[in-house]
Amino acid sequence: MLPERLKMIEENCWIEVTKKMPIPCVDTIVWRDHTFLMGWRTILPYKHVWALLGGRMTRGESFAQTAMRQCRKSGLEIHIPRFVGVYPVKFPSRHDITICMAAKWKSGTPAPTSELSRYRWFQRNRLRQIQPIGANYQKMLRDWQMK
């Protein structure tokens, strides 16, 4: 299914674009106290793993705006996010360029979306205990912890 802002592109055209070009995405580490939030992913890729909140950028958005929009979709308000790093992520069907941001939780209770069915706050110092989790998310979280 196409992202809302890309529905003007026919499905077969979108599939061809994703096969030939990297897609820019933003994943956000939402944190409070000594914990960070992850959601249980219900769609491919990374179906049935703990994932960061995130999604594709839309035209004209900054990284921070994308992070804030994606968090709002889950019912959260966050403080202004800061940059963590850039991560190329290759899947069998496409190639994404993920920009990782980190932001302190401001308000809201996470609610299910079409991509994340449930949420959990994990202890910052227990990254190894999160299973299953994608390798790209582990790298992002380790890099964030180093800063």
Side-chain angles (χ1 to χ4, degrees), residues 13-61:
C13 181
W14 176 247
I15 291 168
E16 285 303 309
V17 168
T18 61
K19 286 180 183 176
K20 295 178 176 154
M21 297 182 66
I23 304 301
C25 300
V26 174
D27 284 337
T28 306
I29 300 167
V30 178
W31 60 274
R32 67 178 184 195
D33 301 321
H34 299 289
T35 64
F36 61 92
L37 185 66
M38 297 198 81
W40 185 254
R41 206 162 147 89
T42 58
I43 64 168
L44 293 172
Y46 286 122
K47 187 174 184 176
H48 302 307
V49 301
W50 290 107
L52 297 173
L53 282 68
R56 295 185 181 141
M57 291 184 72
T58 60
R59 184 178 176 161
E61 278 186 326

Side-chain angles (χ1 to χ4, degrees), residues 13-140:
C13 181
W14 176 247
I15 291 168
E16 285 303 309
V17 168
T18 61
K19 286 180 183 176
K20 295 178 176 154
M21 297 182 66
I23 304 301
C25 300
V26 174
D27 284 337
T28 306
I29 300 167
V30 178
W31 60 274
R32 67 178 184 195
D33 301 321
H34 299 289
T35 64
F36 61 92
L37 185 66
M38 297 198 81
W40 185 254
R41 206 162 147 89
T42 58
I43 64 168
L44 293 172
Y46 286 122
K47 187 174 184 176
H48 302 307
V49 301
W50 290 107
L52 297 173
L53 282 68
R56 295 185 181 141
M57 291 184 72
T58 60
R59 184 178 176 161
E61 278 186 326
S62 68
F63 303 148
Q65 288 168 330
T66 302
M68 294 170 84
R69 175 176 55 82
Q70 291 295 337
C71 288
R72 274 194 301 275
K73 281 175 49 177
S74 291
L76 302 177
E77 291 296 325
I78 58 174
H79 291 274
I80 301 296
R82 66 175 176 78
F83 177 79
V84 174
V86 177
Y87 304 84
V89 183
K90 292 183 182 180
F91 301 108
S93 64
R94 71 174 200 257
H95 178 191
D96 290 351
I97 303 291
T98 299
I99 295 88
C100 182
M101 305 292 283
K104 186 175 181 182
W105 171 85
K106 187 187 283 187
S107 65
T109 301
T113 67
S114 60
E115 296 180 12
L116 302 171
S117 63
R118 65 184 196 260
Y119 300 84
R120 183 171 163 198
W121 291 95
F122 288 94
Q123 292 294 319
R124 187 173 177 161
N125 62 353
R126 306 222 174 166
L127 178 57
R128 289 189 206 141
Q129 296 176 356
I130 303 170
Q131 292 297 325
I133 183 174
N136 63 320
Y137 298 123
Q138 287 178 331
K139 178 146 182 45
M140 291 176 207

